[in-house]
Amino acid sequence: MKDPDQELTTTLGAIGGEFRPNELAYLAMTMKVESAIRDRFAFRLHQDYEPSGCIVAREWNRVDLAVLDPTGTPLALVELKAMYTFDALGNLRHFTDATTADEIKAQRLAVDGTAVYSLLLATHLAGAIGPQFLKPVKYSGGINRAITKHGDAAAVRAQACETIDKDLAARAVVARGEVEGGAAFGQSASVLYWLVRNDGHATMAAG
């Protein structure tokens, strides 16, 4: 069987190619991108794992994504949580606590040898949203307020990454990267991600 850490990391690194040009930017600006990333992630994993007889399932027992061996035993369980970089500047624990809760939920379905992960996604826009696009772009108010407060979008991204990295420092971050999304509504966008493997963090938190 393929090593889940390596397979998930490789797939995340290539997932940008699963979208049409500018599609991810459009999706990320008009909704939280959790479902869009999950669906492309799942299908790419399905293509990679199917020859070995493994099954990649979405919404398996209310877990976002599961890799199952040919007998139906879970090899890997992944829960996704989406936010925006501006969320990291004032409300990050709401999201990282949610990933902990998701890991606890997934652990209840795990067996010996099951790898449990959370995937934190943070949409980032490279600049402010113009007045004509304020309504089509979801959370445009939060995006623009953060840019105004911190000076520019690059400063928002840097501060968000620093804050997230610090919050996850005690956890097993398997992969960290960025998916370029192209552009929509006059602005470019990308999705930052942190893949975290549960190595006892959620159990300790629950206790």
Side-chain angles (χ1 to χ4, degrees):
M1 300 298 176
K2 298 182 179 182
D3 174 69
D5 277 9
Q6 181 178 352
E7 184 65 23
L8 296 182
T9 297
T10 299
T11 301
L12 282 170
I15 202 168
E18 300 299 307
F19 294 90
R20 295 179 180 180
N22 302 318
E23 180 186 7
L24 181 57
Y26 173 81
L27 295 175
M29 290 187 197
T30 55
M31 67 176 187
K32 286 192 175 179
V33 78
E34 180 177 328
S35 295
I37 293 288
R38 181 203 62 186
D39 293 348
R40 300 305 206 285
F41 193 27
F43 183 64
R44 181 69 178 257
L45 288 171
H46 162 73
Q47 291 177 303
D48 290 344
Y49 273 105
E50 187 180 31
S52 67
C54 292
I55 297 168
V56 176
R58 297 180 301 160
E59 296 297 334
W60 181 79
N61 289 335
R62 300 183 67 185
V63 172
D64 289 329
L65 193 155
V67 179
L68 313 172
D69 74 11
T71 71
T73 301
L75 298 174
L77 301 173
V78 186
E79 291 278 23
L80 289 79
K81 186 64 63 178
M83 53 182 272
Y84 290 76
T85 48
F86 74 83
D87 288 312
L89 307 182
N91 196 29
L92 177 60
R93 291 307 298 270
H94 170 78
F95 296 94
T96 54
D97 285 352
T99 64
T100 296
D102 284 343
E103 290 171 18
I104 292 170
K105 180 182 72 173
Q107 280 183 328
R108 299 189 182 112
L109 299 169
V111 298
D112 287 343
T114 303
V116 173
Y117 302 87
S118 59
L119 178 60
L120 181 65
L121 306 168
T123 293
H124 179 68
L125 274 62
I129 300 301
Q132 71 273 38
F133 299 129
L134 291 177
K135 288 190 176 181
V137 175
K138 200 170 183 67
Y139 306 110
S140 57
I143 293 165
N144 285 356
R145 283 192 296 272
I147 290 172
T148 298
K149 180 178 179 180
H150 293 271
D152 59 28
V156 173
R157 183 189 186 283
Q159 184 63 46
C161 289
E162 180 181 344
T163 304
I164 295 169
D165 287 339
K166 183 177 180 180
D167 191 275
L168 298 179
R171 297 167 70 173
V173 178
V174 174
R176 180 186 185 281
E178 184 171 10
V179 184
E180 297 295 337
F185 302 111
Q187 200 54 259
S188 60
S190 62
V191 178
L192 308 170
Y193 63 82
W194 288 258
L195 179 67
V196 180
R197 186 184 62 242
N198 179 264
D199 284 338
H201 167 81
T203 301
M204 291 185 290

